Amino acid sequence: ELVGQVAQGDERALSELYDRYARPVYATGVRLLRDSHLAEDLVQDAFTNVWRGAASFDPKRASFATWLYRLTRNRAVDLNRRRRVRPLSAGEEPLRNVSGGPEPEASVDLWDVAEALSLISAEHREVLNLAYFEGLSQREISQRTGVPLGTVKSRTTAALKRVRQAMEVNAVGEPRRE
C-alpha cells in the first residue's frame, strides 16, 4: 500500500518505508561493503531507487522487503565494483567499528531470514511460520491446516533445508564465509 502511495508521489509514504527499512539496508551495506560511508550512500541510493521505481513494483512477484533487498544488493555490487577500481586514499582505513545501533547484524539476520523465506514454496513457508512465529507444534499445525502429521513433519524438514540453502549464499551470490 505504501509503495503505491510512493508511486503517486507521496513523500510521507516514502518516509514511512525509510523508517521501517533504512536500518536493515544500512546493515546489509555494512556487511557487503565493509565500509560505513559506502553503506550510508547505499541507503540513500536504495531509497532514491524506491522513489523513482515505485511504479514498477509488482507485489505479485515479490514482497516489498524482497524487492528492496534486490535493489540494495544490486547497488552494493555496483558500489563494490567501483571501489575495487579505486584503491583506498592516503589516511583512509577499511571499516573498523560500525555505528548503527547495538547490533546492526541482527537486522541483517532478520532480513536474510525474510529473504530466504520468500524463496521457498508457500506450503513450506506456512509450516515454518506456524511453528516458529506462532509457536505451534507439528501436531497443532496438522490440526489447523488439515494436513496429515507425517506430511507436516516432512514439509518442516524440507523447509528448513531449503531455508538453510538459501541463506548459505550471500547477497552477491558467493558462499557465506562465517
Side-chain angles (χ1 to χ4, degrees):
E1 186 177 310
L2 288 172
V3 181
Q5 293 171 5
V6 171
Q8 295 173 1
D10 186 341
E11 292 178 16
R12 287 179 296 176
L14 180 65
S15 179
E16 177 68 26
L17 289 172
Y18 181 90
D19 290 344
R20 291 182 189 181
Y21 294 97
R23 184 176 167 104
V25 169
Y26 175 78
T28 299
V30 168
R31 185 188 62 179
L32 296 175
L33 301 168
R34 302 280 188 238
D35 182 307
S36 60
H37 297 293
L38 279 179
E40 291 169 2
D41 291 345
L42 179 65
V43 172
Q44 178 75 27
D45 291 350
F47 284 94
T48 298
N49 287 336
V50 168
W51 179 255
R52 290 181 184 153
S56 69
F57 172 69
D58 182 1
K60 294 176 191 146
R61 294 187 64 200
S63 69
F64 174 75
T66 299
W67 183 70
L68 178 60
Y69 184 79
R70 288 181 184 146
L71 288 174
T72 300
R73 180 191 62 207
N74 291 342
R75 185 64 183 133
V77 169
D78 293 343
L79 290 170
N80 214 14
R81 283 185 193 137
R82 185 182 312 153
R83 182 178 55 188
R84 281 190 219 139
V85 173
R86 181 190 68 80
L88 292 175
S89 303
E92 207 175 1
E93 290 186 38
L95 179 66
R96 297 275 187 252
N97 292 317
V98 178
S99 63
E103 295 181 31
E105 287 298 317
S107 297
V108 175
D109 292 341
L110 291 174
W111 191 316
D112 287 345
V113 170
E115 171 72 6
L117 286 172
S118 75
L119 298 173
I120 65 175
S121 72
E123 294 170 336
H124 289 116
R125 190 170 39 252
E126 178 184 37
V127 295
L128 292 182
N129 281 331
L130 292 172
Y132 290 96
F133 300 112
E134 293 190 31
L136 299 181
S137 69
Q138 290 180 329
R139 185 171 310 284
E140 291 168 327
I141 293 170
S142 174
Q143 291 169 347
R144 181 183 285 187
T145 62
V147 174
L149 181 59
T151 303
V152 170
K153 289 179 179 185
S154 63
R155 281 184 188 170
T156 302
T157 302
L160 290 170
K161 181 179 179 183
R162 286 185 175 93
V163 167
R164 187 178 321 110
Q165 289 170 340
M167 291 182 71
E168 286 175 353
V169 175
N170 73 14
V172 290
E174 299 170 350
R176 290 188 185 267
R177 296 182 195 111
E178 297 175 31

